[in-house]
């Protein structure tokens, strides 16, 4: 465990907790944690996870403007949109897996799924869609396993906490989406 991992842990945890609550200030915390984790993951040969952090940073900038000063106003996708999300997640993960194997990435199956799932969940967060949280739940659980096996124990604990936070996000954003729908 390094100082870098500890600081990345703390900033990322703050960013994700704020993400559930929905204020605009979520995004700078999210971006700082992502930058720190980009360095840590690159050092650990989790290349997809390292590059994913730059997508999170871009999403943080986009989210800052997309959510606006009043914060998140979650809504639910329709059945067709959900089917597209799931199909994209599966197909893109399968296509990315051999690429990661060829470049020597650590834990390539989980890396492929985690990368694609995280990009989709990040987009759904920026678009203020409830469906971000079930994807975060599964992705965070998979990453918990990966980082534990890779001996990034503090990061594994962080992703276990993220898994629990995703349950909270699922409930909170679901309730908020229902309130907005019933207005």
């Amino acid at each position: 465990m390094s100082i870098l991992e500890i600081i990345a842990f703390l900033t990322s945890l703050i960013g994700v907790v704020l993400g559930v609550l929905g204020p605009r200030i979520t995004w700078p915390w999210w971006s700082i944690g992502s930058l720190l984790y980009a360095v840590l993951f690159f050092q650990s040969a989790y290349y997809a996870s390292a590059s994913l952090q730059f997508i999170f940073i871009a999403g943080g900038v986009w989210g800052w403007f997309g959510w606006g000063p009043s914060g998140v106003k979650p809504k639910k996708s329709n059945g067709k949109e959900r089917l597209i999300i799931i199909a994209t997640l599966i197909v893109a993960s399968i296509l990315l897996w051999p690429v990661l194997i060829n470049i020597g990435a650590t834990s390539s199956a989980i890396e492929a799924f985690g990368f694609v799932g995280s990009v989709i969940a990040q987009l759904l967060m920026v678009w203020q869609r409830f469906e971000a949280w079930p994807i975060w739940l599964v992705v965070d659980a998979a990453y918990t396993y990966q980082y534990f096996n890779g001996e990034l124990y503090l990061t594994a604990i962080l992703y276990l906490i993220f898994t629990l936070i995703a349950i909270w996000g699922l409930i909170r954003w679901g309730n908020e989406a229902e309130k907005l729908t019933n207005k």
Side-chain angles (χ1 to χ4, degrees), residues 92-103:
S93 295
I94 291 169
L95 292 173
L96 181 58
W97 187 3
V99 172
L100 295 175
I101 290 170
N102 287 335
I103 64 169

Side-chain angles (χ1 to χ4, degrees), residues 168-183:
W168 178 32
L170 190 96
I171 294 166
R172 186 172 189 291
W173 278 38
N175 290 339
E176 290 296 314
E178 289 299 320
K179 286 180 194 173
L180 291 171
T181 303
N182 293 329
K183 280 189 172 183

